[in-house]
Amino acid sequence: MTILEAYESGEHESNISHFAAMVKLASIDGPINEEEHMVLKRLAFKLDVSDEEVMVVLKSPMNYPLMPPYALEDRIERLQDLFQIIYADHIIDGEERALIYKYAIGLGFSSQDAHAEIEKCMSCFTNENVD
C-alpha cells in the first residue's frame, strides 16, 4: 500500500486518532515527561504521523475520536501501544487504568475481553504471570 492509498483509505486518520489516544493517556497523570515523549516519538514514527501532525495533536488531543481498526490482531496491537505509554513511567495509576479500560471497550473488546486483554498486557509489561 502506498502512502497515498493509506491516506485515502482512512488508515492514516485512524493512526492519528490512535496517536491522540496515546497523548491523552500520557497526559492524564500530569505533564508529559521525557520517557513518555520518547515513547510518543517512537510510536509517531511507527504510525507514520508527521512532525507537523504530532504538534497539532499534542496541542489538542481531544479533537480526535478513537477509530478502532477492524482486525482483532490490530486492536490488540493498539492496546499494547497504549500500554507502552502507560508504562513509560513504570507505573499505572487508577486514572490510567480506568482510561485504558475505556479505550479497550472503544477498540471493540467486550467488557470481559477488555479486562482479560488488559491483564495480559499488564503481565507483559510487569513480567508477572496471569492465569
Side-chain angles (χ1 to χ4, degrees):
M1 175 181 290
T2 67
I3 292 176
L4 180 59
E5 290 170 334
Y7 276 91
E8 291 174 351
S9 72
E11 182 180 342
H12 188 71
E13 286 180 19
S14 178
N15 287 348
I16 292 173
S17 167
H18 180 52
F19 182 75
M22 290 184 290
V23 171
K24 291 174 203 173
L25 270 172
S27 61
I28 195 167
D29 59 354
I32 297 173
N33 63 38
E34 187 61 35
E35 293 90 0
E36 292 166 332
H37 257 296
M38 288 174 35
V39 172
L40 287 172
K41 184 176 180 178
R42 188 171 58 248
L43 290 171
F45 179 79
K46 171 186 168 187
L47 295 169
D48 196 31
V49 177
S50 71
D51 291 341
E52 295 80 22
E53 291 166 327
V54 166
M55 296 306 295
V56 172
V57 171
L58 286 172
K59 288 180 184 176
S60 303
M62 302 308 261
N63 290 345
Y64 301 88
L66 189 60
M67 297 174 65
Y70 178 74
L72 175 62
E73 188 175 289
D74 294 337
R75 289 184 280 144
I76 291 170
E77 183 178 348
R78 295 269 165 117
L79 191 60
Q80 291 170 344
D81 289 346
L82 292 167
F83 267 92
Q84 285 185 42
I85 200 66
I86 286 176
Y87 279 106
D89 60 3
H90 308 290
I91 57 170
I92 181 171
D93 63 29
E95 288 178 315
E96 289 171 328
R97 190 173 177 108
L99 190 54
I100 194 72
Y101 176 74
K102 288 180 183 179
Y103 282 137
I105 296 295
L107 285 170
F109 294 101
S110 68
S111 180
Q112 184 177 1
D113 290 342
H115 283 294
E117 289 301 325
I118 288 169
E119 291 302 318
K120 286 178 190 175
C121 286
M122 288 176 64
S123 172
C124 289
F125 281 89
T126 60
N127 295 322
E128 296 176 1
N129 290 324
V130 175
D131 294 325

